[in-house]
Structure formats: structure tokens, C-alpha cells
Amino acid sequence: MISEMRKRLQRKGARRGFTLVELLIVIIIIGILAGAMMLVAGTSRDAAEASKIISDLRSVKAAALVWLTENPNISNDTWDDLEKNPTQINTYLDRPLTTGHNFLFDLGTLTVEVITDDTVDPPVTTEKTNTVWLVGYNLGEEGADVRDGVKRNLEKQAASVGLYGSDTIDLTDEDNPGYYTEDDDIVYVIVQ
């Protein structure tokens, strides 16, 4: 009886190592998991870069607003000149803009509906177009190297963050107010 048990244990213990099929299955599973991790890492990187662009736009916008507050008599020409010489707002930034930056300082048009008579129901509205100052980020500029995934992330956030794809913004058009789409080369925020 004891000898039979020894023989069974020896037979079971004689198998050492893994079969080729078991090794291939493990390698395939590891490959699938690695591929999934690469996809997740890529989309996270794109979202982080889109957030950085939005943050940079907000920082430049905030610096420009402080500069405008301290210099209330700025003309449209002076605003356009900021693109060539941004040193005027560098005082208000933690990282100064240099000459080769991707930021644009443009003039744009903003169309909104204004209530002209609210004593009647529905109120009477008219469209009003104003010239606005915009800060933009050139996504297609050499050195920007913005991937398509980053552009898709910017498009997803455009309506909630106030990103526009053109210097012509029509807030009266509910279907297409001019929010940024991934086909646009420049993303804008309204400064004033």
C-alpha cells in the first residue's frame, strides 16, 4: 500500500515545468494587458496636454486682464502688437512669453442677443455685434506638435470651458456658436 502511494506521488512529481501551451497563453494575456495599458496611457497623456493648453490660455488671459486694468486706454492696435512684443504682460505671468511663443492676440467679433424690451411676453431682442479681444493658441504652429488626441480632448471641453475655434463668435446660433472643433488650427478664449 505504501509503495503504491509512493509510485503515484512520483508520477505526479515527475512533471516539472510548464507546457508550451501554458506559456503561450500567459504570453498572450500579458500582451493584451500591455496593449490596453498603452491605450490608457496615451489617452491620459492627451487629456493632460489639453488641460495644460487650457491652463496656459487662462494664465495668459488673466495676465492680459490685469494689464488691461492697469492700462485702461489700450487700443485695438496695441492689443494686436502684444503678439510681436508680449513683454508688457510678462510681468503678470509666472513664465514669460518669448518671441517664439504659440499665443496669438487677435481681434474678433462677438454676436449676442440683447433684450431691448422686457415689458412684453416674450421679450423683444435684437442681435448686437461687438469687437472683442481674444487670446489664442496656435495648435498647427511648428513646435506646437499637437496630436489629434489632444485636439479631440479640447473639442470635448470646448463648450464647458469657453474655447472657440474662430475669431467670429456667434452666441445667437445655438447649434453652432463657434466652439472649437478638432478641425480648427487655433483655439481662442475671450478676454474682453
Side-chain angles (χ1 to χ4, degrees):
M1 181 124 170
I2 294 177
S3 64
E4 283 180 37
M5 290 174 89
R6 262 193 203 150
K7 286 181 184 178
R8 283 186 195 164
L9 288 174
Q10 286 175 348
R11 274 189 246 144
K12 286 185 181 179
R15 182 176 171 238
R16 303 209 187 262
F18 298 104
T19 65
L20 181 61
V21 173
E22 291 171 333
L23 287 173
L24 287 175
I25 289 173
V26 169
I27 290 171
I28 290 171
I29 291 172
I30 290 172
I32 290 170
L33 291 173
M37 290 302 293
M38 293 295 282
L39 287 174
V40 169
T43 55
S44 298
R45 184 174 153 205
D46 291 342
E49 192 169 328
S51 295
K52 180 185 177 304
I53 289 171
I54 292 169
S55 176
D56 288 348
L57 278 169
R58 286 180 175 167
S59 294
V60 172
K61 175 184 175 177
L65 284 170
V66 172
W67 177 70
L68 288 170
T69 303
E70 291 184 358
N71 302 291
N73 297 325
I74 301 300
S75 68
N76 290 345
D77 293 333
T78 308
W79 181 257
D80 276 341
D81 289 341
L82 278 177
E83 192 171 319
K84 295 176 198 125
N85 184 17
T87 56
Q88 301 169 46
I89 64 168
N90 279 345
T91 314
Y92 311 105
L93 292 169
D94 60 342
R95 185 179 36 156
L97 297 177
T98 57
T99 355
H101 61 83
N102 291 333
F103 290 97
L104 308 170
F105 296 87
D106 285 338
L107 296 173
T109 57
L110 174 68
T111 305
V112 294
E113 277 189 13
V114 178
I115 297 175
T116 53
D117 185 5
D118 61 353
T119 60
V120 292
D121 189 33
V124 178
T125 60
T126 58
E127 289 185 7
K128 185 175 181 181
T129 302
N130 293 325
T131 300
V132 290
W133 293 347
L134 304 168
V135 171
Y137 188 86
N138 195 342
L139 302 170
E141 187 72 25
E142 189 176 317
D145 194 28
V146 177
R147 294 179 306 282
D148 291 338
V150 176
K151 291 181 178 183
R152 279 191 295 276
N153 273 290
L154 287 170
E155 182 176 8
K156 287 178 190 174
Q157 298 180 49
S160 63
V161 178
L163 302 176
Y164 299 94
S166 168
D167 58 358
T168 305
I169 302 163
D170 186 0
L171 297 181
T172 61
D173 185 358
E174 293 178 10
D175 296 329
N176 185 18
Y179 288 125
Y180 173 80
T181 63
E182 69 176 289
D183 297 331
D184 299 320
D185 287 334
I186 300 172
V187 61
Y188 288 104
V189 292
I190 299 172
V191 174
Q192 185 179 8

